[in-house]
């Protein structure tokens, strides 16, 4: 199976850590691992560079990680701590002269059209972000590297247009593309088709309170955030993992996120060699203390595989 690399760009809950105006022990910690931007991850897999979620820290996360090109943005769900940075994809449009490919579920697309009407309107404000939406659901799908969208041409006072071979300019509003579904769940990573090698991505269905959300598996790494339950049937997609991320925001039960106990119980059931906790809040102790606490809890609960808090900048390979 192909190797994947995932970099955590943000491991904080919706308000981030520290929280504005909070003087608690965690929010005032000098440890850089206690500075958590909103949840996001960068994945390098099969020649693709994929961002998972573009929240309000998107711009700073791209700068901090020195990212100036993306093949795709996957959106897990439409909460602003995961989609609030979409306007800033303009910077990537300027560099690549291409629309940014966003892969998401239909309800997320509908919400984006409401939140960002100016991006999807027929008559666009010059300089509005350019995105191409690809609709997905929980079935595996394939992305073909290099199968890029059309090149954008900047026209003064008009904005972006596609310039056709005959020189004519056409507006960039595109019909929504439906992602090609992988035929069977072979989970091999590489699929043949369309005259080239495609990269198979496996979405993981979960619920965030009652809202359907997606996690994603890339080879031996799975990224899960903002879930409070995972249907039993989805566990089949999570076998044999080297790394998995799981979200938790508190020790107490929470309506839309796993509690710490639930996350640990799920970590044990998934059985990945390493589990990384993300979407963390200042409810948990400082990073180093939390790490020790988790090791003890795993021992008490008989969880053999490692469970640790992730941190911004952490790179995992599997
Ligand atoms: Zn969130
Ligand atoms: Zn605090
Ligand atoms: Zn959420």
């Amino acid at each position: 199976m192909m190797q994947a690399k995932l970099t955590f760009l943000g491991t904080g809950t919706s308000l981030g850590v520290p929280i504005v105006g909070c003087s608690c022990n965690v929010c005032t910690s000098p440890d850089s691992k206690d500075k958590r931007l909103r949840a996001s991850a960068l994945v390098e897999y099969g020649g693709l560079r994929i961002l998972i979620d573009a929240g309000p820290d998107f711009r700073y996360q791209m700068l901090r990680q020195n990212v100036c090109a993306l093949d795709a943005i996957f959106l897990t769900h439409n909460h602003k701590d995961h989609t609030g940075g979409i306007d800033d994809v303009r910077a990537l449009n300027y560099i690549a002269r291409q629309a940014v490919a966003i892969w998401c579920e239909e309800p997320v697309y509908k919400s984006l059209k409401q939140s960002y009407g100016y991006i999807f309107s027929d008559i666009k404000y010059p300089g509005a972000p350019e995105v191409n939406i690809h609709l997905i659901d929980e079935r595996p799908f394939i992305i073909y590297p290099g199968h890029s969208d059309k090149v954008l041409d900047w026209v003064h006072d008009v904005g972006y247009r596609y310039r056709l071979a005959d020189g004519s300019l056409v507006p960039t509003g595109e019909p929504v593309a439906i992602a090609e579904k992988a035929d069977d769940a072979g989970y091999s990573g590489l699929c043949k088709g369309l005259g080239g090698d495609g990269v198979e991505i496996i979405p993981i269905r979960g619920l965030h309170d009652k809202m359907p959300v997606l996690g994603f598996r890339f080879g031996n790494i799975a990224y899960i955030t903002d879930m409070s339950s995972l249907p039993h049937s989805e566990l089949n997609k999570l076998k044999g993992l080297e790394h998995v991320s799981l979200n938790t925001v508190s020790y107490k039960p929470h309506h839309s996120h796993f509690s710490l106990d639930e996350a640990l119980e799920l970590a044990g059931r998934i059985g990945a060699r390493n589990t990384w906790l993300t979407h963390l809040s200042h409810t948990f102790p400082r990073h180093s203390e939390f790490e020790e606490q988790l090791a003890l809890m795993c021992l008490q609960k008989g969880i053999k595989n490692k469970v640790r808090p992730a941190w911004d900048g952490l790179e995992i390979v599997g």
Side-chain angles (χ1 to χ4, degrees):
M1 192 177 280
M2 285 187 303
Q3 204 170 58
K5 177 176 157 189
L6 183 146
T7 307
F8 287 89
L9 303 184
T11 57
T13 190
S14 59
L15 286 168
V17 178
I19 293 176
V20 171
C22 185
S23 54
C24 79
N25 184 47
V26 176
C27 288
T28 54
S29 166
D31 186 349
S32 62
K33 289 180 179 169
D34 287 317
K35 315 274 182 230
R36 302 183 186 277
L37 298 178
R38 265 61 71 89
S40 173
L42 182 69
V43 176
E44 286 152 88
Y45 183 55
L48 295 169
R49 204 167 219 215
I50 300 162
L51 181 76
I52 309 177
D53 289 332
D57 296 317
F58 168 78
R59 172 183 167 275
Y60 182 52
Q61 285 162 331
M62 295 299 94
L63 288 170
R64 191 161 72 165
Q65 200 61 31
N66 204 15
V67 176
C68 45
L70 290 171
D71 296 294
I73 296 176
F74 292 177
L75 298 177
T76 58
H77 66 300
N78 182 49
H79 276 162
K80 277 291 180 289
D81 57 322
H82 299 259
T83 60
I86 298 288
D87 186 71
D88 287 324
V89 305
R90 285 173 297 141
L92 302 179
N93 296 148
Y94 296 151
I95 297 166
R97 294 272 161 185
Q98 277 179 3
V100 171
I102 293 180
W103 300 69
C104 65
E105 295 196 85
E106 192 159 16
V108 178
Y109 173 51
K110 284 184 175 158
S111 307
L112 288 180
K113 282 204 287 189
Q114 282 178 348
S115 311
Y116 295 101
Y118 62 99
I119 296 180
F120 300 97
S121 69
D122 292 336
I123 300 163
K124 280 190 189 161
Y125 187 79
E130 292 288 347
V131 301
N132 278 336
I133 301 286
H134 303 261
L135 292 184
I136 53 173
D137 53 30
E138 72 276 9
R139 289 172 294 177
F141 64 94
I142 299 170
I143 296 184
Y144 292 89
H147 204 69
S148 61
D149 295 304
K150 295 171 212 131
V151 174
L152 300 170
D153 209 341
W154 179 259
V155 183
H156 185 64
D157 281 347
V158 173
Y160 284 114
R161 289 290 184 271
Y162 292 126
R163 189 181 293 275
L164 303 184
D166 63 4
S168 60
L169 295 165
V170 295
T172 53
E174 282 236 314
V176 174
I178 306 294
E180 178 167 343
K181 300 293 183 300
D183 284 341
D184 58 28
Y187 307 157
S188 58
L190 264 183
C191 303
K192 300 282 179 191
L194 281 184
D197 289 335
V199 179
E200 186 187 44
I201 312 290
I202 302 163
I204 316 292
R205 164 67 69 221
L207 289 175
H208 186 30
D209 198 345
K210 293 184 181 62
M211 178 193 277
V213 301
L214 291 179
F216 297 98
R217 177 174 181 160
F218 311 87
N220 290 320
I221 297 180
Y223 181 84
I224 284 172
T225 191
D226 289 59
M227 290 188 188
S228 48
S229 64
L230 182 77
H232 190 71
S233 53
E234 293 300 275
L235 285 175
N236 283 335
K237 296 177 179 172
L238 297 168
K239 285 180 179 160
L241 286 171
E242 187 68 26
H243 299 277
V244 68
S245 79
L246 292 175
N247 59 293
T248 179
V249 294
S250 65
Y251 294 103
K252 292 184 201 151
H254 190 280
H255 70 104
S256 62
H257 288 273
F258 295 124
S259 67
L260 180 57
D261 278 342
E262 287 168 342
L264 290 177
E265 192 268 332
L266 185 56
R269 268 198 295 154
I270 292 172
R273 202 182 293 261
N274 300 280
T275 300
W276 299 97
L277 300 181
T278 190
H279 215 285
L280 300 170
S281 73
H282 67 166
T283 306
F284 299 117
R286 288 184 180 186
H287 187 91
S288 53
E289 192 186 327
F290 191 34
E291 200 160 43
E292 285 171 26
Q293 195 179 82
L294 284 172
L296 199 64
M297 288 177 84
C298 286
L299 209 62
Q300 286 164 350
K301 288 175 184 284
I303 297 167
K304 292 188 184 70
N305 297 330
K306 284 186 181 150
V307 183
R308 282 168 283 180
W311 64 87
D312 289 23
L314 167 68
E315 291 179 359
I316 53 178
V317 177

